[in-house]
Amino acid sequence: MPIDINSLRTYKGGDPELYRLSMRQRFKDPSVIDAVLAKDEQWREKRSQIDQLRQKVNALQRDVIAPKKKAKENCEADVAEMKATQAEIKALEGELPEMERERDELLSTIGNVVDSEVPISQDEDRDNLVVSLYPEPLEAEAEAHAEADADGDAPSAAAKPLLPAPLSELTYALPAAKPLTHDDLLWRVDGYEPLRGQNVAGHRGYFLKNAGVLLNQALINYGIAFLRKKGYQVLQPPYMMNKEVMAGIAQLEDFDEQLYKVSGKTDDPDGASEKYLIATSEQPICGYHRNEWIEEKTLPLRYAGISTCFRKEAGSSGRDIRGIFRVHQFEKIEQFCVVRDDFEESQKEQNRMIDAAKEFYETLGFPYRVVCIVSGALNDAAVKKYDLEAWFPGQQAYRELVSCSNCTDFQARGVGARCGQKKTGGDKAKTKEEMLNERASYVHFLNATLCATGRGICCLLENYQEEDGVRVPEVLVPYMGGIDFLPFVRGPMELTKGEKGKEKGAKKKGGN
């Protein structure tokens, strides 16, 4: 289970109020905590009843039946009573799995404990906390000088009052705008064929071609090289997962909104016929150490996951229809890290991972901001999530390129990835209370996008557009076979019938 039931049991050192608070911070109903505890109490009472009946059976065998048999006395009634009690035990034991299932089903709806840095809000547009800007705006330098002048001191690098700040309170000059958007640019450099893709694959289908393929592979290969230099092991995972493994990782709503189901008979000797396409390599890599006991001395483990990803985008109807920013199939390089069961350790690792992403996009020359996401937008597994949002000068907007989450032991519990025993007692001989407070220690999982290549291509095109084509960032040129410029080879793409209709309607409305 993602949440340890012992975390809610006060008699085992748990703190249910901590989880009630966290559920309120997530803007979810905290009464589920009490519902879980009520179910757990019923389950424990049933277990206690069974234990008492077992003691009765043992006492009958030890103190009544055995002595009578030894004395050759009649014990038929006692044997009958023992058998009746054993039958009662069997019947009660048959009730336990359903009781446990009902409790754990409720338990699985409880999210991880929200980190103290996370803004408590449901409004991402107002309250996401900006913690980093690149390049640093002139306003930060001006504020630093103003503060220094007021104090009569030299400007201090630490005097940057702009950050951290909620989006609604942050004012600075945005990076420069440019005329064309990524969909138009990708078409003009002969980089994709959306209509032909839709004829083959339907909504959001596309063919990458020529410049689009080269850019896609260049970002993949540069991403691999970048992470290998930082000591990551490169993994290319299975693109399909068994249902029971996916169920230990993905949230229930993901099955409806994100995951493609694949079914049908195969040559699988186990008869498995239901699988799910991965939405990110994070999912199969979560299962890479499934049911393993990892030696603490081998940690941290750092993986670079390279995969195609498949997403239904059921909740994104009408958004980002043009181009390849939001599609059903794309490639992604993912950071996935495993650390020991220590919150301070996983906090440090999350900072290291977002710093790696920042460095990657700085080498590509993309302006960006990093935001700490509000509590109401966190998924159940994450205690804190940073998004890196890059500047799209054609759209004149920041768009998400990276999500970096610390999931502590939430996902590791779902797949049974352990690393020893965590004890709340000291070095003295354990008391009964201390033995009860022992916990199985699970590793902490963290994940962060390095580059979803489709979105990376979109951002590159908008930032590096020139009058007659697109300049290739210097760092990618070796991965492009030496190509440093992609000329426009065709004009703008024609509007679809639907887009022409909307444009005609807008003109009529404007004329009225």
Side-chain angles (χ1 to χ4, degrees), residues 61 120 124 171 254 396 412 505:
Q61 288 179 318
I120 308 304
E124 290 191 77
T171 303
D254 287 342
Q396 298 178 42

Side-chain angles (χ1 to χ4, degrees), residues 213 229 328 490:
V213 175
K229 285 181 180 178
H328 296 307
R490 54 186 176 183

Side-chain angles (χ1 to χ4, degrees), residues 222 226 230 354-364 368:
Y222 175 51
F226 181 87
K230 293 183 177 296
I354 193 63
D355 284 346
K358 287 159 63 176
E359 181 186 341
F360 181 79
Y361 288 104
E362 286 171 21
T363 65
L364 287 169
Y368 67 76

Side-chain angles (χ1 to χ4, degrees), residues 427-459:
D427 293 330
K428 59 183 180 180
K430 296 190 193 82
T431 64
K432 183 177 180 181
E433 179 72 16
E434 288 167 338
M435 290 177 71
L436 287 173
N437 281 336
E438 286 190 352
R439 302 279 194 277
S441 180
Y442 292 81
V443 292
H444 285 195
F445 284 168
L446 302 97
N447 63 82
T449 319
L450 183 73
C451 182
T453 57
R455 293 192 174 193
I457 290 169
C458 293
C459 192

Side-chain angles (χ1 to χ4, degrees), residues 56 95 133 168 197 219 272 330 351 422:
K56 179 181 176 181
E95 297 175 20
L133 283 166
S168 60
L219 285 169
F330 59 94
N351 290 332
K422 178 170 66 179

